[in-house]
Amino acid sequence: MVESISALTLARMQFAFTVSFHFIFPAFTIGLASFLMVLEGLWLKTGRDVYHQLFQYWVKIFAITFGMGVVSGIVMAYQFGSNWAVFSDKAGPVIGPLMAYEVLTAFFLEAGFLGVMLFGLDKVGKTLHFAATCMVALGTAISTFWIISVNSWMQTPQGYGVNADGQFFATDWWAVVFNPSMPYRLAHVLLAAYLTTALVVGGAGAWHLLKDRRAGNPPREGTKIMFSMAMWMAAIVAPIQVFVGDEHGLNTLAHQPAKIAAMEGHYRSFPGGPGGGAPLILFGIPDDQQQVMRYKVEIPALGSVILKHDADGALAGLDTFKPQDRPSVEITFWSFRIMVGLGMAMVAMGLWSLVARARGTLHSSHWLHRMALVMGPSGFIAVLAGWTTTEVGRQPYTVYGLLRTVESVSPLAAPAVAASLLAFVIVYFTVFGAGTYFIIKLMGHEPHPGEEGPTRGQGADGITRTAGITPAVQVNPDAVLAE
Amino acid sequence: MAPNDTLTLIWAGIIALAIFGYVVMDGFDLGIGILFPWLADKVEGGDDRNTAINTIAPVWDGNETWLVLGGGGLFAAFPLAYAIVMPAVYTPLIAMLMGLIFRGVAFEYRARTTRLWIWDRAFAFGSVLAAFSQGVILGAVLQGVKVKGRAYAGGWFDWLSPFSVLTGVSVVAGYALLGACWLIYRTEGALQERAFALAKVAGVVTLVAVVAVSAATPFLYHDYFSRWFERPGIFLAAPVPIMVGVTALLFIRALRDRRELQPFLLALALFLLSFIGLGISMMPWIIPGQISIYDAATPANSQSFMLVGVAIMLPIIIGYTAYAYWVFRGKVGHDGYH
């Protein structure tokens, strides 16, 4: 089996696997860091213990997720060299500096202030602690800026030249960093991260609302607040995301028409003119071998309306590209539909929450809670599906139109890549599976008055060791008495 | 677009600084993982493992970031070297990453489980694996790799040799030494006593390893040999072993006098001297005998673009890192900082 798979295929599988795993963590921590910042800000502003409770509750989950993000990210940083050496040599002069800036302006900032954020509250005081939380949140945002800049340059390269060694070099750094697809991609990814976090927070809130209801307890204040905040976020951000996604699509059409053709499932071109516009294919079974879409369900002219804002607009299909320059429709078509479908469900949930809020049933509508619970992990799925769409749609290139994936790979033996792929699969599922278990265990408890922050070195006896910190727990005596 | 030699030299310095920064910062916390099996756990009636973890919990994330700066900086400033070295050390590189994964998550997980022993072992195993792999990578680069054109041309087990295993063991011993000295500095009581004993053992092993690696290195390449034993290199090189000897004597005295901070600083000095020794052997080669820093350098405008960032950001980074260390200063008991 292994002998028949090339080192290239294995390297691609390995990259897809490790980057997908990695991407899950920042997609969550980017939004969660901002959520923590808002919670602590509200705590400082209002002095209400419930916000501190929620901060302490979510910061523990943040610590685990961040830890997993760091270690899986280090793998990514080194994998460029280990598996994609030719790419590293050729594209290094352009994207290397951007990644160096990510380390200098973001990674150190996050990591440096993380310790203060997790353990420093009674050492530095509330104001400085809040500053540390802000720095961590800022770090995650800056990190997103640089890595999206790198990825976008690989999608829509500009501002470069090629030297005698075949290396890309920058002729205009401004153009490299702010390449044509970068602003759209950055907005799309940041919003996706906020949505993902909102959906997880909302799902956890919904779970506890349902559980309290079943047990006949009134919902706790902290649970109500986090569910409400999550639903606001979904109601506001999901529609904005649809708009940004549409704009991003138009940008992709302008710069990567083959990707759009694959996403839409158009193997053939549409000439435009009266009745010649492209339909919107809702569903179908793509057949890359025969280059046809089977069993398709389509709405006439809607494809042209969406992409050209004109029912009779012409749209290029994959037949305008040489066979060796076409991305896979089979993967792109489906991953795109998963992303869009989930996005629509998010919009629907947001609207529903607004209706429930207006009726005063936000915390009692158990069908809404059930939907929020089911939608809890949907952000991760949508993010991975979207990522798959854009990355597979870029194929067969690593640097779009300039450097082919087949020319980017390291001179490695297939068994070496196969062995490391196997090791990654085993280790990732074990280690990150355990992490997910710990996170779910944490989310299984309801936020409560006197919620403690992260602890290290907890003993087997369950006694909490707090790295020297007695957390400045602000216990609300009334809430304790009420329990 | 010819790379500018001065810029290239500056960048070689920055990468060297990042790698040394990594060794200084992450070395001691990896060392604590390596020493973990010799620290008392709850079952034995102590709580030393928790105390040791508490000394590094707030800072390890920042420490590990230096590794990303080293790798990322190499990628950015010397992409050709990155493209050749990484495939050449593929297996130990993957092993290092696996080790770092286990170690990195064990920090978080061991605080959340009753099955402590699993993550304690994962922490120790990950630390040893990461340290050993880093040493092997160092040895593999020192002994040289096969290059054809702009790519690695060797097999996927070329890195394995008695020399690379020796450097692997040396790094494990050296990190253990840093870890033990760090514990002497940051703890007290029974754990500090244990750390003194461990520092003595790790110190002896490290010194033997330094001598062995130093003795073997000049025979890897004629170029290394001539730098260490022929004029004019010998004038630059000779003070290094002498200073290693002096540092070793001071270290032994510091342990005997029960000094608390001195052993850690002297252990760092030992690392710095070894690092300078490596520099003397290798400069200006990145791939010995084949690719120099000037061959591997990225175009000058990439170097200068990044240099702006380094010039502005590095002092700021060092500033807030120092702040974070200062916040969590002082002796750590198993219940925390005093």
Side-chain angles (χ1 to χ4, degrees), chain A residues 14 63-64 66 68 70-71 74 77-78 81-83 85 88-89 92-93 95-97 99-101 103-104 107-109 111-115 119 123-124 128 165 167 169-170 173 410-413 415-417 420 423-424 427-428 431 434-435 438 441 455-459 461 465 467-468, chain B residues 1 42 47 50 53-54 57-58 60-62 64-69 71 75-76 79-80 82-83 86-87 90 93-94 97-98 100-102 104-105 107-113 116 119 150-152 156 298-299 301-302 305-306 308-310 313 317 320 323-324 327-328 334-337:
Chain A
Q14 185 168 321
I64 295 181
F66 191 85
M68 294 193 286
V70 167
V71 293
I74 292 176
Y78 281 86
S82 61
N83 286 3
S88 297
D89 177 26
I95 67 170
M99 291 167 77
Y101 267 97
V103 182
L104 290 167
F107 289 170
F108 276 114
L109 196 65
F113 284 101
L114 183 73
F119 309 112
K123 289 199 166 278
V124 299
L128 273 177
D165 293 323
Q167 290 177 308
F169 63 89
W173 284 107
S410 295
L412 287 167
V417 191
S420 62
F424 274 119
V427 170
Y428 273 34
V431 168
F438 290 128
K441 212 167 77 166
T455 56
R456 307 271 177 164
Q458 181 174 309
D461 55 2
R465 307 291 177 200
Chain B
M1 283 316 303
K42 268 248 114 41
D47 212 357
N50 285 341
I53 286 284
N54 282 341
W60 79 271
D61 256 322
E64 206 152 285
T65 309
W66 289 86
L67 182 67
V68 187
L69 182 64
F75 176 39
L80 179 61
Y82 185 77
M86 294 299 149
Y90 190 77
L93 184 73
I94 302 286
L97 296 173
M98 298 291 173
L100 292 177
I101 288 172
F102 275 108
V105 297
F107 272 100
E108 296 297 336
Y109 296 176
R110 71 187 296 283
R112 322 225 157 268
T113 180
L116 200 57
W119 296 111
R150 295 177 73 81
Y152 174 62
W156 58 295
T298 199
N301 79 333
S302 295
F305 175 66
M306 281 187 293
V308 177
V310 171
M313 291 311 300
I317 290 166
Y320 62 63
Y323 170 74
V327 165
F328 297 100
H334 58 259
D335 285 326
Y337 296 83

Side-chain angles (χ1 to χ4, degrees), chain B residues 233-258:
Chain B
I234 192 165
F235 295 118
L236 190 64
V240 175
I242 295 169
M243 284 166 73
V244 168
V246 172
T247 308
L249 289 174
L250 288 173
F251 178 78
I252 291 163
R253 207 179 64 177
L255 280 191
R256 199 193 56 204
D257 296 350
R258 312 303 265 183

Side-chain angles (χ1 to χ4, degrees), chain A residues 372-442:
Chain A
L373 180 62
V374 172
M375 292 293 286
S378 64
F380 295 112
I381 300 166
V383 156
L384 287 181
W387 198 244
T388 304
T389 307
T390 202
E391 296 302 286
V392 175
R394 190 190 56 209
Q395 299 301 326
Y397 299 100
T398 45
V399 181
Y400 195 67
L402 299 169
L403 183 63
R404 284 176 183 273
T405 310
V406 62
E407 294 163 347
S408 304
V409 73
S410 295
L412 287 167
V417 191
S420 62
L421 174 61
L422 187 67
F424 274 119
V425 170
I426 293 169
V427 170
Y428 273 34
F429 275 107
T430 314
V431 168
F432 299 140
T436 309
Y437 166 77
F438 290 128
I439 287 176
I440 288 172
K441 212 167 77 166
L442 282 172

Side-chain angles (χ1 to χ4, degrees), chain B residues 42-166:
Chain B
K42 268 248 114 41
V43 185
E44 296 162 33
D47 212 357
D48 291 350
R49 290 185 185 175
N50 285 341
T51 311
I53 286 284
N54 282 341
T55 66
I56 54 175
V59 292
W60 79 271
D61 256 322
N63 295 348
E64 206 152 285
T65 309
W66 289 86
L67 182 67
V68 187
L69 182 64
L74 188 67
F75 176 39
F78 302 100
L80 179 61
Y82 185 77
I84 293 170
V85 170
M86 294 299 149
V89 296
Y90 190 77
T91 309
L93 184 73
I94 302 286
M96 176 190 86
L97 296 173
M98 298 291 173
L100 292 177
I101 288 172
F102 275 108
R103 195 181 77 97
V105 297
F107 272 100
E108 296 297 336
Y109 296 176
R110 71 187 296 283
R112 322 225 157 268
T113 180
T114 46
R115 286 182 289 276
L116 200 57
W117 62 273
I118 298 178
W119 296 111
D120 275 3
R121 281 181 199 185
F123 182 55
F125 165 78
S127 301
V128 172
L129 184 63
F132 181 73
S133 306
Q134 285 171 7
V136 167
I137 291 169
L138 171 69
V141 172
L142 261 177
Q143 73 194 6
V145 298
K146 280 198 200 101
V147 179
K148 199 173 167 190
R150 295 177 73 81
Y152 174 62
W156 58 295
F157 265 98
D158 285 13
W159 52 271
L160 186 61
S161 71
F163 181 74
S164 69
V165 172
L166 173 66

Side-chain angles (χ1 to χ4, degrees), chain A residues 4-367:
Chain A
S4 65
I5 303 177
S6 68
L8 171 68
T9 308
L10 287 163
R12 289 183 66 184
M13 285 165 68
Q14 185 168 321
F15 198 83
F17 179 78
T18 48
V19 81
S20 298
F21 247 102
H22 171 64
F23 196 38
I24 288 171
F25 306 119
F28 188 33
T29 49
I30 292 162
L32 199 49
S34 296
F35 184 49
L36 289 169
M37 184 175 78
V38 170
L39 286 173
E40 191 171 12
L42 286 171
W43 178 47
L44 293 189
K45 193 160 169 262
T46 65
R48 289 176 65 193
D49 173 56
V50 66
Y51 290 118
H52 184 239
Q53 231 181 71
L54 287 174
F55 178 87
Q56 298 284 61
Y57 181 82
W58 286 104
V59 82
K60 285 179 286 197
I61 291 165
F62 181 84
I64 295 181
T65 318
F66 191 85
M68 294 193 286
V70 167
V71 293
S72 59
I74 292 176
V75 171
M76 299 317 302
Y78 281 86
Q79 203 164 59
F80 276 123
S82 61
N83 286 3
W84 303 99
V86 181
F87 168 80
S88 297
D89 177 26
K90 292 189 170 167
V94 174
I95 67 170
L98 307 188
M99 291 167 77
Y101 267 97
E102 184 184 16
V103 182
L104 290 167
T105 58
F107 289 170
F108 276 114
L109 196 65
E110 292 170 302
F113 284 101
L114 183 73
V116 180
M117 175 172 125
L118 296 181
F119 309 112
L121 185 54
D122 75 336
K123 289 199 166 278
V124 299
K126 286 182 192 175
T127 313
L128 273 177
H129 185 264
F130 180 54
T133 308
C134 292
M135 286 299 131
V136 173
L138 180 67
T140 60
I142 296 174
S143 175
T144 314
F145 173 89
W146 289 113
I147 202 66
I148 289 301
S149 177
V150 168
N151 181 264
S152 299
W153 186 83
M154 288 163 66
Q155 304 269 1
T156 55
Q158 69 168 20
Y160 64 89
V162 179
N163 70 14
D165 293 323
Q167 290 177 308
F168 296 103
F169 63 89
T171 52
D172 179 356
W173 284 107
W174 188 256
V176 167
V177 173
F178 294 95
N179 57 75
S181 65
M182 192 267 182
Y184 300 93
R185 213 177 293 277
L186 179 63
H188 203 45
V189 166
L190 278 177
L191 291 176
Y194 288 131
L195 261 179
T196 300
T197 305
L199 289 161
V200 173
V201 172
W207 165 252
H208 289 299
L209 287 172
L210 288 167
K211 221 168 68 169
D212 286 340
R213 182 191 162 88
R214 179 168 291 184
N217 297 327
R220 294 204 202 206
E221 195 191 6
T223 307
K224 279 162 71 176
I225 287 179
M226 74 187 195
F227 184 71
S228 171
M229 287 175 83
M231 289 303 112
W232 272 127
M233 195 73 182
I236 296 166
V237 174
I240 298 175
Q241 181 70 310
V242 171
F243 171 75
V244 169
D246 183 52
E247 292 291 307
H248 184 28
L250 296 180
N251 178 269
T252 307
L253 178 65
H255 296 278
Q256 297 178 296
K259 183 192 282 186
I260 286 289
M263 285 158 65
E264 298 290 320
H266 293 317
Y267 286 103
R268 277 171 236 307
S269 300
F270 296 88
L280 181 73
I281 302 178
L282 294 175
F283 290 105
I285 309 289
D287 183 344
D288 271 356
Q289 295 293 318
Q290 302 296 322
Q291 293 278 301
V292 286
M293 181 66 68
R294 302 188 189 281
Y295 313 110
K296 59 188 169 189
V297 178
E298 57 186 23
I299 302 173
L302 191 57
S304 286
V305 172
I306 292 173
L307 288 163
K308 294 291 182 98
H309 294 184
D310 170 10
D312 298 333
L315 197 64
L318 285 172
D319 54 359
T320 48
F321 303 92
K322 286 187 210 138
Q324 66 270 27
D325 296 343
R326 298 174 193 172
S328 158
V329 176
E330 285 171 344
I331 298 172
T332 323
F333 180 80
W334 280 114
S335 60
F336 180 61
R337 267 146 197 77
I338 292 169
M339 178 188 76
V340 171
L342 289 174
M344 292 303 157
M346 291 171 204
V347 171
M349 188 181 73
L351 289 175
W352 189 359
S353 78
L354 289 179
V355 172
R357 201 184 291 272
R359 287 184 180 167
T361 56
L362 187 69
H363 300 301
S364 58
S365 166
H366 63 277
W367 278 109

